[in-house]
Amino acid sequence: MGEPKLRFKADDGSDFSGWEEKTLGELCAPLTYGMNAAATKFDGENRYIRITDIDDETHALLPNDIVSPSGELDDKYLVKKGDILLARTGASTGKSFLYHPKDGKLFYAGFLIKAHVLPSSDDYFIYSQTLTDRYWKWVKTASMRSGQPGINANEYASYSFAVPSLPEQRKIADFLSAVDAVIAAQQAEVDAWEQRKKGVMQKLFSQEVRFKADDGSEFPAWESATVGELFTFVTEKNKDGHINNVITNSAERGLVPQREYFDKDIAVDGNTKGYTVIRKGDFVYNPRKSTSAPFGPFNIYERNEVGIVSPLYTCLTPYDDEMAPYLAWYFKTNRWHPYIVTHGAQSGARHDRVGMTVALMEGIPVLLPSLPEQRKIADCLASMDEVIQKSKGELAKWRKLKKGLLQQMFV
C-alpha cells in the first residue's frame, strides 16, 4: 500500500505505521437512507436538511430557506456527531456534509444517505476523503446511469481508500481543521465587505448620504432620465459568424467569456450568426433571474476584445461614455425594479426568465446626479470592490492550498 507525500510523526518522534486500504462500509455503521417527508415551515427546533441545503463550495449548512420535516418525527433520522451525509441522486450526487453540534437538531431527507463513522476512525478524516479528486473521479464512474446519475448506499459502502492509524488520522484532521478555520475567517471577511458595500450603495443611491464638491459646496439636486434617453440599442449581429468570443452575462461575475465561466463552450460553431456583437462600454441585460434578484443582471462589458452574446440578451450603448461607470453601479441596485413590476415585465416561455419589450426598457427611470458626483460615487464603490476582490483572492489562495494538501496528505 502506497503512502502520501506528506506525513506526520508520532508525538515521540517515531514514524507511524503504514496505511491500509479500507472501504467506507468497514469504517462506518451500516449506511441508511433519509426520511421521505415534505418540507414545511420551520418550527424553531427541528431542521430538515436536503441536498440543496448544503453549500456547494464549503459543504456547510446554508443559513437560508430553513424548513422542518412534516409529519411524525423519528429519531432514527436525526443527524448526530460522527455522521456524514452523502447526496445519492441528481447532479449533486457525491456532495457531502459533516455534522457539527453547532448545526443544531437536524433530520435528513430521503435523497441523502447517512454514514456514521465508527469510533475506531476520525470522522473529519473520513469526511475529508470526499473532497479529493480521487473521490470525485470515483463518483463520476459510479454514478453513471442510463438516466439520472445516482449512487446507492451499497455502492457508497464499497468505496475504498487508504487510511492510517487513528492517531495519525487525528493529526491530519486537526491540521486540516486549522486550515478550514482560516478559510472560514477569510470567507467571513469577504461576506462582511460585501455587506458593507450593499449598505453604502443603499445610502448613496437613496441619497441618504451625499458627496460634496471638492471646494466643499453642495452638488445640485439629482435629476431623472430614462434608459431611452441615455442609451441606444445595439443591433449589430454576428452575420458571418467570424466572431467566436461568446460572452455570458452572470449575476455573480458579470460579463465573462463563456469558456471561462462554464469551463467549456456552450454555443456550437455555426450557431452564433444571430448573436449580438458587443464592445467595451456596452451594457447587456440578461432576462434570466438569479436567486438573489427578481430580474436578470444588467452589466457593463469591460473587456477590450469584441464579443458576442445570445440574442436573448438586450444590448445597449450609452450616449455618454463618461456616465458609464456610474450607470454600471446604478443597475446593480434594485432602484429600477419597481418600475418593471408596475409596468409588467413579460414572462418568458421559461419561468426563470423575465423579458422586456423595447418600449418597456426605454422607459426605465434612472436617477442622475451631476457628472462630478457620479464620478465620486463610482470611485467610492470601485475602491470598495478592489478591497473585496483582494479579499476574495486571499480566499482563493487558501482554498487552493487546502486542495493541494488533500492531494499530498492522502493516498
Side-chain angles (χ1 to χ4, degrees):
M1 169 59 61
E3 295 182 358
K5 296 178 181 178
L6 184 62
R7 291 196 66 180
F8 287 94
K9 289 187 177 290
D11 291 340
D12 62 5
S14 63
D15 292 330
F16 282 114
S17 58
W19 291 41
E20 296 182 76
E21 188 82 9
K22 297 280 187 179
T23 65
L24 190 63
E26 292 176 296
L27 300 168
C28 299
L31 277 63
T32 56
Y33 295 93
M35 63 191 299
N36 293 312
T40 188
K41 185 178 179 181
F42 183 51
D43 62 12
E45 179 184 8
N46 304 296
R47 180 166 182 181
Y48 202 24
I49 180 170
R50 304 153 296 177
I51 292 175
T52 52
D53 295 315
I54 302 170
D55 186 87
D56 291 333
E57 182 70 46
T58 66
H59 294 246
L61 193 61
L62 290 168
N64 55 338
D65 192 26
I66 300 176
V67 296
S68 291
S70 61
E72 187 175 344
L73 303 182
D74 190 326
D75 283 356
K76 72 178 182 180
Y77 297 116
L78 269 175
V79 190
K80 300 177 180 177
K81 182 75 172 69
D83 286 346
I84 299 170
L85 299 181
L86 302 162
R88 68 180 179 90
T89 187
S92 296
T93 299
K95 185 160 69 169
S96 58
F97 167 80
L98 176 66
Y99 177 79
H100 189 281
K102 66 178 174 54
D103 295 320
K105 193 173 181 181
L106 295 182
F107 289 84
Y108 67 110
F111 288 127
L112 291 168
I113 291 172
K114 182 175 75 173
H116 179 75
V117 178
L118 296 172
S120 53
S121 294
D122 183 272
D123 58 349
Y124 188 91
F125 175 85
I126 303 302
Y127 157 74
S128 294
Q129 296 284 345
T130 68
L131 308 178
T132 64
D133 289 343
R134 182 178 184 274
Y135 168 77
W136 283 104
K137 288 177 183 176
W138 174 82
V139 167
K140 185 175 181 180
T141 301
S143 64
M144 289 181 180
R145 298 282 191 272
S146 57
Q148 183 165 267
I151 300 177
N152 63 37
N154 289 333
E155 290 166 329
Y156 268 123
S158 72
Y159 177 61
S160 64
F161 48 91
V163 294
S165 63
L166 181 56
E168 189 172 5
Q169 285 184 40
R170 286 177 175 155
K171 282 185 176 289
I172 293 170
D174 289 345
F175 181 75
L176 291 176
S177 294
V179 174
D180 275 349
V182 176
I183 291 173
Q186 190 63 38
Q187 181 65 64
E189 181 178 313
V190 171
D191 294 342
W193 273 107
E194 291 281 14
Q195 285 301 120
R196 289 187 195 108
K197 187 178 79 172
K198 284 182 181 179
V200 169
M201 289 178 69
Q202 172 63 30
K203 291 181 184 298
L204 288 175
F205 287 100
S206 67
Q207 301 179 62
E208 181 181 340
V209 171
R210 293 283 305 274
F211 284 100
K212 289 183 182 291
D214 291 341
D215 62 6
S217 62
E218 303 282 348
F219 280 120
W222 289 24
E223 298 179 353
S224 182
T226 65
V227 163
E229 294 170 328
L230 300 172
F231 293 88
T232 181
F233 286 81
V234 177
T235 57
E236 183 182 356
K237 298 296 180 182
N238 189 31
K239 292 180 180 178
D240 300 325
H242 64 282
I243 303 174
N244 55 21
N245 180 31
V246 183
I247 303 298
T248 290
N249 189 7
S250 73
E252 304 84 13
R253 296 172 57 189
L255 288 155
V256 294
Q258 188 182 82
R259 175 170 285 278
E260 183 181 316
Y261 187 74
F262 292 105
D263 201 27
K264 63 180 180 179
D265 291 321
I266 305 297
V268 181
D269 287 343
N271 274 359
T272 61
K273 289 184 178 179
Y275 277 42
T276 305
V277 178
I278 59 171
R279 291 175 169 78
K280 185 175 182 178
D282 286 342
F283 283 67
V284 181
Y285 170 71
N286 179 355
R288 187 167 188 172
K289 297 184 288 186
S290 70
T291 55
S292 59
F295 303 104
F298 201 160
N299 290 311
I300 187 172
Y301 184 56
E302 298 182 289
R303 300 187 180 226
N304 291 319
E305 185 182 3
V306 175
I308 53 174
V309 296
S310 166
L312 292 173
Y313 295 172
T314 302
C315 307
L316 309 97
T317 301
Y319 287 117
D320 187 346
D321 290 342
E322 288 192 90
M323 295 174 62
Y326 167 81
L327 293 172
W329 285 109
Y330 178 82
F331 287 115
K332 291 181 185 297
T333 73
N334 61 2
R335 309 295 296 180
W336 53 282
H337 292 175
Y339 168 86
I340 304 302
V341 173
T342 302
H343 291 78
Q346 295 175 323
S347 294
R350 291 172 50 171
H351 71 278
D352 63 345
R353 298 190 187 278
V354 179
M356 285 188 268
T357 63
V358 170
L360 183 62
M361 181 162 280
E362 284 182 327
I364 293 175
V366 180
L367 289 171
L368 284 180
S370 64
L371 192 56
E373 190 172 4
Q374 287 182 36
R375 293 192 189 108
K376 286 183 178 288
I377 290 172
D379 289 347
C380 170
L381 294 174
S383 296
M384 295 190 76
D385 229 21
E386 284 181 16
V387 175
I388 292 170
Q389 293 311 313
K390 183 178 179 181
S391 189
K392 285 182 175 179
E394 286 298 313
L395 178 60
K397 288 179 183 178
W398 278 102
R399 285 178 172 162
K400 184 178 180 181
L401 172 63
K402 183 183 177 183
K403 187 175 182 179
L405 290 170
L406 287 170
Q407 298 306 113
Q408 296 185 69
M409 299 179 79
F410 295 142
V411 177

